[in-house]
Amino acid sequence: MNTELKDIQDREERAIKKAKTVKELAEVELSLFGRKQGLLTTVLKSLKDKPEHERRTFGAQANTLKTRLTQQIEERRAIVGGLEEGSEPFDLSEPLLPIPATGSLHPVTQISEELEECFSAMGFRVLDGPELENDFYNFEALNHPADHPARDMQDTFYIKDAPALLMRTHTSPMQVRALRQYGAPLAAIVPGRCFRNEATDARHEHTFHQLEGFLVDADVSFAHLKGVLEAVAHQLFGEMVRMRLRPKYYPFVEPGVSGEVTCMLCEGKGCRVCKQTGFLEVFGAGLIHPNVLRAADINARRWSGFAFGFGLTRLAMLKYGITDVRLFHSGDSDFLKQF
Ligand code: FA5
């Protein structure tokens, strides 16, 4: 390489490496390629004065150098480009700043875990069941034959081209599935997601969580059911909470009740959420209908049982003072950060 070009290469490569900011780099670039006084511009302009035999080699070398230096400037600009003027280049060995606090469990998961612990201590096993159910387990086996008007109380989402499949409307199908699998005696709870075709409001969502519980044994009575539910209500909300049971029709229990606890949002005074009653319905319950035991291949003369279904989402509303159920699935991080 021509010595003049070699000198420019060595000196300018050092200048490019030394540049710590975009501004310094722009100065090097200008000194090299500036239109009027740029070093390489002047060299290339001087080509025409060179003798014919030198012009070709010198021109080729000068152009190669121009490409090489332009490329190095671009590479250096990518490195220093993101940095503030005057700041040091990125130091990979620098220790990390403290990482902001990680997330927390969703309030429904928290209440579900609390209940799982409470029921496990009473000897219930914890089971899981399918969210995509079939008509038999969701309705038929639970004493809702086809065309039974009680099906209208739980409309849901059906699967196109598979009319027997539906999104489960409650966790009760697991009563039959579990009894078929494990037989009697059995005590189990099943927390899980349920779906209903609802006109949503402050208390109703199309997707919500329930926690099913059932116990099948010899001579199970309504008193056992009441005792277990009261123990759970006190564990969750304290000894002061009042629970009331009112008759309610469910085809799969006989007798059936709706269970309500003091509305914590208004402390029993009456509000929008409890519809001014001072109580909020949080579960359905009753003694398991013999037809359900038979559908689960259990001898209904020998065994009896109780079952209940808690609205987990409603419990979380009560416990944490949440006034609108639609917040749970809103994805609002300000809401979630509070738990
Ligand atoms: C049932 O779903 C019955 N499977 C419960 C049951 C189990 C009764 C075992 C008897 C024996 P119900 O439709 O009432 O019942 O719902 C139970 C609870 O789920 C309600 O008390 C309520 O807290 C909650 N729930 C029901 N629908 C919704 C909804 N759309 N949004 C939020 N929570 C709901």
Side-chain angles (χ1 to χ4, degrees):
M1 183 192 254
N2 171 291
T3 48
E4 183 190 356
L5 293 178
K6 182 81 177 93
D7 284 349
I8 296 177
Q9 178 175 319
D10 293 346
R11 195 174 58 247
E12 296 305 320
E13 282 187 351
R14 274 199 303 277
I16 292 169
K17 277 196 195 117
K18 251 174 77 182
K20 288 215 170 76
T21 64
V22 175
K23 197 171 164 216
E24 281 174 25
L25 206 55
E27 280 163 13
V28 177
E29 194 175 23
L30 189 70
S31 73
L32 270 170
F33 305 124
R35 247 206 237 161
K36 286 195 179 140
Q37 289 174 343
L39 207 55
L40 266 181
T41 318
T42 318
V43 166
L44 285 165
K45 270 187 198 160
S46 71
L47 260 183
K48 61 178 184 327
D49 308 325
K50 298 235 182 266
E52 176 77 39
H53 67 277
E54 260 185 49
R55 207 181 293 163
R56 189 181 284 257
T57 350
F58 188 84
Q61 288 179 355
N63 274 320
T64 310
L65 179 60
K66 186 178 177 190
T67 314
R68 181 186 167 107
L69 293 175
T70 309
Q71 197 179 339
Q72 289 185 7
I73 288 173
E74 286 315 316
E75 283 169 10
R76 186 71 188 153
R77 205 190 316 271
I79 294 170
V80 298
L83 300 171
E84 288 289 312
E85 271 188 26
S87 66
E88 288 301 311
F90 195 59
D91 179 2
L92 285 173
S93 64
E94 190 148 323
L96 272 182
L97 291 173
I99 297 169
T102 48
S104 56
L105 292 178
H106 191 276
V108 171
T109 309
Q110 291 188 29
I111 205 139
S112 181
E113 291 190 350
E114 195 174 334
L115 281 169
E116 283 168 34
E117 222 169 273
C118 173
F119 278 106
S120 300
M122 288 191 277
F124 286 73
R125 63 170 83 183
V126 183
L127 302 176
D128 200 10
E131 291 176 356
L132 180 61
E133 252 308 352
N134 63 46
D135 187 273
F136 175 77
Y137 285 109
N138 198 81
F139 290 124
E140 194 97 26
L142 293 173
N143 210 22
H144 293 74
D147 302 325
H148 193 291
R151 287 189 176 216
D152 291 347
M153 298 188 323
Q154 298 188 3
D155 188 18
T156 185
F157 306 100
Y158 288 83
I159 305 304
K160 213 173 165 187
D161 304 329
L165 292 181
L166 48 91
M167 300 310 289
R168 70 175 174 195
T169 56
H170 49 174
T171 39
S172 300
M174 275 304 287
Q175 291 179 30
V176 179
R177 283 186 179 275
L179 283 167
R180 280 186 167 194
Q181 185 168 354
Y182 301 108
L186 179 67
I189 58 161
V190 188
R193 208 152 48 146
C194 306
F195 308 83
R196 289 188 196 177
N197 182 9
E198 296 272 20
T200 60
D201 59 28
R203 298 190 308 165
H204 296 89
E205 251 293 21
H206 49 73
T207 304
F208 57 98
H209 286 74
Q210 285 191 345
L211 182 137
E212 190 81 9
F214 44 91
L215 182 145
V216 174
D217 211 321
D219 300 325
V220 174
S221 77
F222 210 89
H224 295 118
L225 169 65
K226 199 164 173 240
V228 167
L229 292 175
E230 255 171 9
V232 173
H234 290 156
Q235 159 81 27
L236 275 184
F237 300 110
E239 291 297 320
M240 295 305 288
V241 77
R242 284 176 56 214
M243 184 180 89
R244 73 179 186 188
L245 301 177
R246 301 203 296 170
K248 183 167 178 183
Y249 173 68
Y250 292 103
F252 38 96
V253 286
E254 181 58 40
V257 290
S258 137
E260 301 180 346
V261 293
T262 318
C263 176
M264 305 291 164
L265 302 170
C266 60
E267 292 173 344
K269 292 190 197 85
C271 65
R272 179 174 76 112
V273 175
C274 65
K275 287 197 187 146
Q276 314 303 333
T277 62
F279 282 89
L280 201 57
E281 181 187 329
V282 287
F283 63 87
L287 294 182
I288 300 176
H289 196 290
N291 285 351
V292 176
L293 293 176
R294 279 191 277 272
D297 302 328
I298 299 293
N299 182 344
R301 288 182 192 281
R302 181 165 172 216
W303 304 102
S304 52
F306 66 70
F308 53 85
F310 274 103
L312 271 187
T313 319
R314 293 259 173 92
L315 285 181
M317 286 175 80
L318 276 177
K319 188 157 174 114
Y320 300 114
I322 298 161
T323 51
D324 197 319
V325 67
R326 290 164 292 197
L327 283 166
F328 286 102
H329 290 142
S330 63
D332 180 345
S333 60
D334 284 342
F335 167 71
L336 292 171
K337 268 188 221 151
Q338 299 173 76
F339 302 97

